[in-house]
Amino acid sequence: MTAEMVLRALKDQGVEVIFGYPGAPCCRFYDALFKQNAIRHILVRHEQAAVHAAEGYARSTARSAACS
C-alpha cells in the first residue's frame, strides 16, 4: 500500500522515469513499480549511478526523474 502511494505521488509530480538498483530493502516498491505502466524503470549498476543518471535525464529533458 505504501509503495503504491509513493508511485502515485511520483506520477502526480510528473515523474515518468525512475533510475535504480533493486535490493532487499525496496522489494515492495519494485513489486508495485512493475505492476504499473505509468512510470518506467531503468536499471543501473550502482546506486550512485542512479543519482547521476536521474540528474542527467532531468537536465537534458527538462522533465522530472527519480532514483530508488
Side-chain angles (χ1 to χ4, degrees):
M1 174 117 182
T2 303
E4 289 85 359
M5 290 173 34
V6 170
L7 287 170
R8 190 174 321 124
L10 289 170
K11 183 180 173 189
D12 290 346
Q13 293 299 316
V15 174
E16 298 174 350
V17 180
I18 294 178
F19 298 85
Y21 186 77
C26 55
C27 282
R28 291 183 187 207
F29 175 77
Y30 275 97
D31 288 342
L33 178 63
F34 292 127
K35 290 180 183 175
Q36 56 82 46
N37 293 320
I39 300 174
R40 83 184 159 138
H41 179 263
I42 297 178
L43 180 66
V44 296
R45 305 291 268 165
H46 191 274
E47 293 91 347
Q48 291 174 341
V51 175
H52 294 298
E55 181 183 12
Y57 176 87
R59 287 178 182 242
S60 65
T61 65
R63 296 180 181 172
S64 297
C67 57
S68 63

